[in-house]
Amino acid sequence: MTLQHIQQIMLEMAQDNSTLKTAFEQLNQNAIAFPQNSVVVSPILKIIQSSPPNISCCESCITIPFPQQYSNQIQGLSRDVADSLGGATVLPNFLGWWKNQNGEIIPDQLVVIKSFTQVKNLANNWEKLLASIHYWGKMCQQEEIAIEISVFASGSVLLLISIES
């Protein structure tokens, strides 16, 4: 039985039990809305629930590694991400490796562009973000760009975006 099943059973019991119903109402007044399948360790959940009401759950994150030598293009892409999703963070100095067509392993200095947003906002801006990734990828003569989309409590997916020449 999952946590979600237990929560559903308790909510059904609260319909007929005034004490449980009152307890849930009081809990919900201070609770933060977490996605359905979320699992938060109890002591941490208590700290979060007792925090000010201006804290909310951020549902998704997009991560874009990009070659560090293209500083103007990094600024352009990160501004596009910030414009679409409400913010972006550029993390410098990552070392990456890739295999070229000759089978040689090539080192590459990378930055990582991250943005945290709500799932709906990411979905609504997906086409705009994809167009931006294609545009800046072409400017830097990249063959492919890997991006990671993480959704809270649902894991993540890594997408390999082929950049048309």
Side-chain angles (χ1 to χ4, degrees):
M1 184 173 286
T2 66
L3 179 61
Q4 187 175 1
H5 287 114
I6 294 169
Q7 289 173 336
Q8 185 61 37
I9 291 168
M10 292 184 72
L11 286 172
E12 288 173 10
M13 290 173 56
Q15 300 304 315
D16 298 326
N17 184 313
S18 61
T19 304
L20 277 177
K21 187 173 185 177
T22 302
F24 273 112
E25 287 170 356
Q26 290 174 352
L27 180 64
N28 288 334
Q29 288 174 357
N30 298 322
I32 294 171
F34 284 96
Q36 283 288 348
N37 298 325
S38 66
V39 177
V40 179
V41 179
S42 181
I44 302 301
L45 182 59
K46 287 178 185 175
I47 292 168
I48 294 169
Q49 288 175 332
S50 65
S51 295
N54 60 344
I55 296 176
S56 64
C57 179
C58 185
E59 296 171 343
S60 65
C61 171
I62 184 170
T63 305
I64 309 167
F66 209 78
Q68 189 170 345
Q69 68 263 32
Y70 300 105
S71 60
N72 290 336
Q73 290 83 358
I74 291 167
Q75 288 181 24
L77 178 56
S78 59
R79 285 178 61 91
D80 288 352
V81 171
D83 181 51
S84 297
L85 302 180
T89 302
V90 179
L91 307 165
N93 302 323
F94 285 85
L95 179 60
W97 300 89
W98 57 277
K99 194 179 213 179
N100 69 11
Q101 292 176 342
N102 299 327
E104 301 166 317
I105 304 296
I106 309 296
D108 206 359
Q109 293 293 323
L110 301 169
V111 299
V112 172
I113 302 168
K114 277 189 171 253
S115 185
F116 301 91
T117 189
Q118 302 302 330
V119 170
K120 184 177 181 181
N121 192 30
L122 180 58
N124 289 341
N125 287 287
W126 177 249
E127 294 298 325
K128 184 177 176 182
L129 284 171
L130 192 57
S132 180
I133 290 167
H134 273 272
Y135 174 79
W136 293 111
K138 281 183 187 181
M139 295 286 287
C140 299
Q141 299 174 343
Q142 298 296 298
E143 294 176 14
E144 296 175 319
I145 295 178
I147 68 170
E148 181 180 17
I149 299 174
S150 305
V151 179
F152 185 70
S154 297
S156 64
V157 63
L158 185 66
L159 303 176
L160 194 58
I161 299 172
S162 184
I163 305 299
E164 302 165 349
S165 32

